[in-house]
Amino acid sequence: MTAPQTGPAAGCATCAELLRAAAAAEKAGDFSKAVDYRVLLRRHRPQHGGEPSSATGRRA
């Protein structure tokens, strides 16, 4: 699996928890759940001033 395009914001408990959950799901072999957590992380990132993500994850 590939890592998220950008890392978590330093000191953000939500980012850290989403990454921890994604890693745990992947370790358990539940790759679908791991992807779900990475999607949640991507949707959470704009709260830190990052790029807003579209529903499809594609940029125009």
Side-chain angles (χ1 to χ4, degrees):
M1 301 300 301
T2 60
Q5 291 179 354
T6 60
C12 177
T14 300
C15 287
E17 177 58 23
L18 290 170
L19 281 176
R20 185 210 57 79
E26 191 169 311
K27 185 175 180 180
D30 191 343
F31 298 106
S32 178
K33 186 180 279 189
V35 169
D36 291 343
Y37 283 119
R38 288 190 178 95
V39 168
L40 291 172
L41 178 63
R42 184 179 178 113
R43 289 180 181 172
H44 168 74
R45 271 191 237 131
Q47 294 179 20
H48 300 295
E51 286 185 26
S53 59
S54 67
T56 63
R58 297 181 187 182
R59 293 184 187 141

